[in-house]
Every structure is written in C-alpha cells, then in structure tokens.
Amino acid sequence: MTLPLKQVRNHFQQINKPLVLLALLTPFTTYLVMQFVQGCSIFDFSLLAIVGNSLCIGVVFFALFALIGNVFISSLLCHLLFGIFGAANYFVSIFRGTPVLPWDFTALQTAAAVAGSYDLIPTWRMVFVIAILLAMGFWVYKKRPASLLHFMSWKFRLGSLAICVCLYSVVAFSSLLSSPTFKPDVWNQTQSYKQGGAVAVFLRNLEFLQVEEPTSPSLEELDQHLSALPISEQTQQTPNIIAIMNESWADFEEFGNLSLNKSVNSYISSLPNSIWGHCYTSVFGAGTSTSEFEFLTGNSMAFLSSGSIPYQQYITRPSSSIVSTMKANGYRTVAIHPGEETSWQRNIAYPLLGFDAFKSQETLDVPIEMEREYISDATSFQQIIWEFENKAPNEKLFVFNVTIQSHGGYTDKTYPAEVTLTDAPGQFPKAEQYLTLASKTDQAFPLLVDYFSQQEEPTIILMFGDHQPSLEQEFLDKAYGVTQDKMTMEQYMDKYRTPFVIWANYPLPDSSIPDTSLNFLSQYLLRYSGLPQSTFDQYLWELHKTMPAMTFVGYTDAQGNAYSHLETNEFTPLIQEYRALQYNNLFGKSNRQGQWFAPLALP
C-alpha cells in the first residue's frame, strides 16, 4: 500500500541531512585521503578512477555503518583504514619498488619479521591526515553533537546493508573495473595505483592470482624443438657444490661514479682462479625468495605476476630444480638461511624443491656472530664449513646458503660506518651503512677460500647477489650517474644488476661469463660441476646464447642491448616458447611433460 505524500515528506524530514551528506561524501573523501597519503597529486585523478574507487570504498563504509550504526564513527574508521592502506603502499613501494599486492597477504609473517629493521618515518602527508582525523575525533568528543553521536535504528542499518550489497554487485558483476583505467601495469604497479586508484587496481590484480595459459606454441611444437637440442658434454668431476645467495649484494663501484675510502669488493673481485661477473635479477630492494626461485628452478619471473611470491603461490608440489639434479646424482642437499625458518615459507618450499635438510637461525651448529640485528656472513660461511666437516665419508655435498647480514633497512645509528663517500661523507648514512656491510662480506669470504684451498675433495663455490638494496634515491642517482626519469632501458636494468663470483679449488675454464640473469646462472654451475642437464636445462643453455639475460624487467641480446617486454621484435617467438615451456613446468598438471624437466644422473 502506497504512503500518502504527506507521510513520505514527514518521513524524509526526520532524516538528519548532514549525516546523509557525510555518508555520501565519505567514500569520495576516503579515496582522496588514501591517494594523498601514498604520494599522489590531484593531477593523477581521473573521473572514472574517482567513481570506481569510491564505489569500492563505499562497500566497506556501508558495511561498517550497518555493523556499527553510527555514521560519524564509521566514516572515521573508513578514513583511517584506507589511510593506512595508502601509507602501506607508500612504504612498500619505497622498500621494494611495488605497492601492496594481493599475494602479499600470504607473507605477513615474513614482513613482520623484518619490519623492525626499517625506519617507517611518516611523511608530512601522513602527519597532516592523522592530525585532521584526530582533530575531528577530539571536536566530536568535546562538543558531543547529538547528530554525530546518534546511533541509527535497525531500519537504517538494514538500509545501509542493502546499499552495501548493491554497491558490491556493481563492483563485482559489472564491467566497471574492467576499464583500461584500472588495468594494472605489471611492470610499474606503483604508477598504476596512482593513476587508477589503489583499491580498484588492487582488486584488478586478483586476476593475476591465476597465471594465464599461453595459446602457442603447442606441446607438439615444443617437443619438436626440444628433441633437436644438442646433448651437453659431461665429465666425472662431481665436486662438492656451494651456492651462496648473498643478501642485497651489489656492485655500485662498477658504474665508476663513486669515490669511496676503500673498495668493498676488492678481495672477491680479484680472486685467483675465479670468474667475476654480473647478472640481472627480477626484484629491487626486496623479494629475496623470488631470486632463489629463479636461480634454483630456471624459471623466470618474466612470465609471472608482478610482486608474486613463487614459494607460496607456485611451489605447492614436488618441483624440478637444480636441487633435484644434485639428488639424482647422489648429493646430500642442505639449505642454510640464518633467518626465521618460516620466512617466505621456506620450510615448506625447500623440501618440495628437493632439499634433504634446512638449517635456519634456530638450528645453526656454530657460534653466532651478529652484524646489527642480523646473523653475520662469517657465521653463514662457518656453517657451510661445518656441513662439509660433518658429512659422511665420500658423500658429495650441495649447500645452498641464503645470507641475511646485509638485509635492509640501514638505519642502525649505533653501527659505525667504516666505508664512506670521500666526496660526501655522512651525506648518505643508509648507503654508507650498507657499503660497510658489503665490505664485511668481502672480509668474510676468505674463510671459505682459505679452508677449501686446503681440502683434497674438489669443491666449487658460486656467490651472487639477490637484488640491490633500497637506499637514498640521491645516492642511487649518484651511483648510476643518471636520475631514474632520464634512464635508457639499459640504464634502468642496471637497478636490477648484481655481482657474482665462481671459485674452485681445482682449475676453472679460463674464460669470463657475459652478463646473464639468475635463471641462466645456475646452468653455468651445472656445467662447471660436470653434472648432466635435463632437457629443460639444455633448452635454457641454448636460449641464453641468444638472450643472455631474461628478467621481469626486461631482457638483453647477445650484444648487450636491452629490451622491454612491451616490445614486439624478433625475440618475441623465443620468449613465447620459453613462457609456454615454463607454464607446462609449473602448471601443466595432467598434461605436464615430465620427461622435459626430469633430472638426469651420470652413468
């Protein structure tokens, strides 16, 4: 039955219009606060971005209102929650180069474990927003205006819930978020969050939780190509093998733009019977497990989602790796990481990759020395020696050591800087602290060289950096010799460049290794160790001759020219082939071609 017009008018007159206005404006103002806190300017906003994000935020706001029943408190909480999200995007982008992504929530324990080592200093934008929210709360507390403190009846709360459901339907089931405005730029997520809005682009990233299956080439075409690969030569050397992924190990000196009071890699870079070179990674500032994944498996992050965490998303069953190759050839395989056992879920991923044992900070067998709040590289290297001394006679040993000494952030004011910039001493305290830690690595490495030089059993050692550290941007500009906004593609890839060294207590090939990437670097270790390569390994070896480096950021050709993945060129078919092969390896399920990835054993 229809209400008389007078009753309808009286009903609406009872509604507090300021509260209605506050409710309608909250999703919009919350969006502005969130974007403002993460460093956006008003010129980053488009009308569609405002509408799309406001609708997404509206779902949360009206759900809060339905739960709490008070418009003002719900509005305040909404601004606070999304303001924190904006601040998190700002800090995470600074530390690792990408904002908060959906799969980050599977790594909250790891993030919490290292958060204390970073300086989370609020920006003036954050302080401004906090001050406004506190002032609003204080004003309401003092004035106690009945209109703002009034708790609505269940009818209004049910109405709010109905609005919440309607907005959710628009967001989830309409084509609104499929607009190009909200499409994530997987190679620059931070810019996507600024232009498309953090909430909407975050939600669009959910589609990358599933990796899209490539349509070509077919399995038959791949098999035909793999069958034509040349067979690799093998030897009976089978040395003990030590691979060290050194935390944040970089070579800023190679660019020739820094003046330091002492070199930080002087020992390692000039080591006799060694090969010194550089490789490219797929992450900057953070994402250690990503580099582990590329090195151990030969897979590339180029074909996976930006900021994804392979150990938690893709290594969910026994997976082929250089570790499984070692096991197939009779090696005992040990992983060492002097950090928390559960970081990046290594305790789950390592057994699936083929490791027999995993030593973490809780289970080290040697006395522990600290550099700042982290276990030193010297301790890591002593643990490697312990593993060698306690292995069974005639047992071959493979050790994979992920160090932690040089982990960011570099803000311990009690830690003395032994390495300084002679032309700007004290100007970049984070950089000088990092360089001091890198120097400690150079001083610790002789522990391994001196020890294994005296051993009769052949042993080969590879050490490489997982990514460059997150330091003052002005220092990085100085080191690279160019600001980021003026970088060429080759210079941009320099941000993802780290050193490596290969040393053995037996003669190594008298040659250098061209700049490569982590997914290819492990192939050199297999070759120099005389171990057989799987079909997939042979494929990677042949591919790297044409494209020596392949990362999430880009790739290089044999002449050292760098290319973006956004380009289409003569390398595109090779990239598509690699992508299809990797997809079958990681996600093939019933049609996975196990014979391509199965490890081979020496006769």
Side-chain angles (χ1 to χ4, degrees), residues 139-155:
W139 179 80
V140 170
Y141 173 76
K142 293 295 287 184
K143 298 293 183 181
R144 293 182 175 84
S147 59
L148 291 180
L149 292 178
H150 178 66
F151 283 81
M152 300 294 190
S153 68
W154 64 268
K155 293 180 180 179

Side-chain angles (χ1 to χ4, degrees), residues 411-422:
T411 56
D412 186 343
K413 294 179 174 58
T414 66
Y415 190 78
E418 298 176 4
V419 180
T420 59
L421 278 71
T422 57

Side-chain angles (χ1 to χ4, degrees), residues 34-35 49 51-60 82 85 89 99-103 105 167-174 176-179 181-185 189 192-193 196-210 305:
M34 176 184 67
Q35 296 296 101
V51 171
N53 284 270
S54 296
L55 289 175
C56 296
I57 293 169
V59 174
V60 176
F82 286 96
F85 182 59
N89 286 323
V100 177
L101 297 164
W103 34 91
F105 289 92
L167 293 180
Y168 174 79
S169 300
V170 172
V171 170
F173 303 113
S174 76
L176 174 66
L177 293 189
S178 62
S179 164
T181 299
F182 309 115
K183 183 178 181 181
D185 180 349
Q189 292 275 10
S192 295
Y193 274 40
V199 177
V201 179
F202 176 90
L203 293 175
R204 276 292 299 271
N205 269 301
L206 290 171
E207 65 190 53
F208 295 123
L209 287 173
Q210 294 294 326
S305 304

Side-chain angles (χ1 to χ4, degrees), residues 83-395:
I84 291 172
F85 182 59
N89 286 323
Y90 172 82
F91 285 123
V92 174
S93 293
I94 291 294
F95 296 145
R96 76 174 187 194
T98 60
V100 177
L101 297 164
W103 34 91
D104 288 331
F105 289 92
T106 65
L108 290 177
Q109 186 175 2
T110 300
V114 301
S117 61
Y118 291 95
D119 263 351
L120 304 180
I121 301 174
T123 64
W124 70 268
R125 292 169 180 259
M126 297 174 195
V127 172
F128 178 77
V129 168
I130 291 170
I132 294 295
L133 294 179
L134 286 175
M136 288 173 62
F138 183 75
W139 179 80
V140 170
Y141 173 76
K142 293 295 287 184
K143 298 293 183 181
R144 293 182 175 84
S147 59
L148 291 180
L149 292 178
H150 178 66
F151 283 81
M152 300 294 190
S153 68
W154 64 268
K155 293 180 180 179
F156 284 98
R157 295 167 75 166
L158 281 178
S160 179
L161 183 61
I163 295 173
C164 172
V165 171
C166 290
L167 293 180
Y168 174 79
S169 300
V170 172
V171 170
F173 303 113
S174 76
S175 59
L176 174 66
L177 293 189
S178 62
S179 164
T181 299
F182 309 115
K183 183 178 181 181
D185 180 349
V186 294
W187 287 283
N188 192 348
Q189 292 275 10
T190 300
Q191 191 61 26
S192 295
Y193 274 40
K194 287 183 176 181
Q195 293 181 344
V199 177
V201 179
F202 176 90
L203 293 175
R204 276 292 299 271
N205 269 301
L206 290 171
E207 65 190 53
F208 295 123
L209 287 173
Q210 294 294 326
V211 178
E212 184 180 354
E213 182 175 4
T215 55
S216 65
S218 65
L219 292 179
E220 292 74 17
E221 290 170 322
L222 285 174
D223 190 56
Q224 185 177 6
H225 182 183
L226 295 176
S227 300
L229 290 172
I231 304 223
S232 61
E233 296 181 4
Q234 293 148 23
T235 69
Q236 297 294 325
Q237 185 72 38
T238 58
N240 296 298
I241 300 170
I242 299 166
I244 303 167
M245 191 175 81
N246 199 282
E247 174 66 43
S248 300
W249 192 36
D251 183 18
F252 291 117
E253 293 173 89
E254 77 154 314
F255 303 113
N257 301 310
L258 295 181
S259 175
L260 305 179
N261 65 332
K262 67 174 181 177
S263 172
V264 300
N265 290 317
S266 57
Y267 175 84
I268 297 175
S269 62
S270 58
L271 196 58
N273 190 44
S274 69
I275 300 172
W276 169 262
H278 294 86
C279 56
Y280 293 98
T281 75
S282 289
V283 289
F284 174 86
T288 299
S289 66
T290 297
S291 295
E292 293 179 48
F293 168 78
E294 289 192 312
F295 174 77
L296 292 174
T297 68
N299 295 310
S300 175
M301 291 301 297
F303 313 120
L304 300 172
S305 304
S306 168
S308 57
I309 305 168
Y311 280 179
Q312 294 163 321
Q313 292 175 247
Y314 312 129
I315 304 299
T316 57
R317 61 184 180 183
S319 301
S320 59
S321 66
I322 65 167
V323 192
S324 50
T325 294
M326 305 294 174
K327 284 185 67 66
N329 285 275
Y331 280 74
R332 180 170 182 266
T333 56
V334 179
I336 301 171
H337 175 59
E340 291 190 2
E341 181 185 49
T342 55
S343 290
W344 300 119
Q345 292 186 7
R346 288 185 177 96
N347 58 320
I348 297 173
Y350 280 166
L352 295 174
L353 290 169
F355 283 105
D356 296 316
F358 173 30
K359 301 287 182 70
S360 64
Q361 67 180 15
E362 298 91 352
T363 52
L364 295 180
D365 303 285
V366 297
I368 290 175
E369 297 176 1
M370 306 295 289
E371 293 289 345
R372 304 173 302 155
E373 66 266 44
Y374 293 113
I375 293 175
S376 69
D377 282 1
T379 302
S380 284
F381 299 163
Q382 291 288 5
Q383 182 67 36
I384 292 172
I385 293 172
W386 187 95
E387 298 294 342
F388 177 81
E389 291 182 338
N390 288 272
K391 71 182 182 66
N394 301 319
E395 183 179 54

Side-chain angles (χ1 to χ4, degrees), residues 386-565:
W386 187 95
E387 298 294 342
F388 177 81
E389 291 182 338
N390 288 272
K391 71 182 182 66
N394 301 319
E395 183 179 54
K396 294 298 181 181
L397 181 66
F398 171 64
V399 176
F400 179 60
N401 172 213
V402 179
T403 72
I404 199 170
Q405 169 188 283
S406 299
H407 198 289
Y410 311 98
T411 56
D412 186 343
K413 294 179 174 58
T414 66
Y415 190 78
E418 298 176 4
V419 180
T420 59
L421 278 71
T422 57
D423 57 345
Q427 187 174 337
F428 306 112
K430 291 182 182 179
E432 290 184 342
Q433 187 166 126
Y434 164 75
L435 293 167
T436 299
L437 291 163
S439 174
K440 299 282 188 182
T441 299
D442 196 59
Q443 296 168 31
F445 199 68
L447 286 171
L448 293 176
V449 174
D450 293 345
Y451 177 83
F452 284 104
S453 294
Q454 301 172 36
Q455 305 306 312
E456 293 184 2
E457 290 188 32
T459 301
I460 187 170
I461 301 174
L462 162 66
M463 185 166 76
F464 62 94
D466 60 343
H467 54 70
Q468 291 187 14
S470 177
L471 303 172
E472 296 95 343
Q473 187 59 51
E474 295 80 4
F475 168 80
L476 295 174
D477 294 342
K478 181 181 180 67
Y480 302 138
V482 62
T483 56
Q484 186 164 308
D485 60 327
K486 296 179 181 177
M487 283 180 167
T488 63
M489 187 61 198
E490 284 83 1
Q491 291 170 325
Y492 185 68
M493 285 190 69
D494 284 343
K495 289 182 56 178
Y496 300 85
R497 183 177 173 87
T498 65
F500 69 83
V501 64
I502 301 176
W503 175 88
N505 61 0
Y506 58 87
L508 286 173
D510 186 17
S511 63
S512 61
I513 296 176
D515 292 349
T516 186
S517 53
L518 295 186
N519 52 318
F520 296 135
L521 182 61
S522 50
Q523 299 307 312
Y524 283 96
L525 188 61
L526 290 177
R527 291 253 166 174
Y528 292 165
S529 302
L531 291 174
Q533 295 173 294
S534 68
T535 302
F536 182 51
D537 291 329
Q538 293 171 32
Y539 168 82
L540 293 176
W541 183 257
E542 293 303 316
L543 177 64
H544 105 285
K545 295 176 183 178
T546 304
M547 292 189 299
M550 165 75 73
T551 75
F552 183 85
V553 181
Y555 55 96
T556 63
D557 62 19
Q559 288 72 45
N561 301 309
Y563 303 88
S564 164
H565 287 292

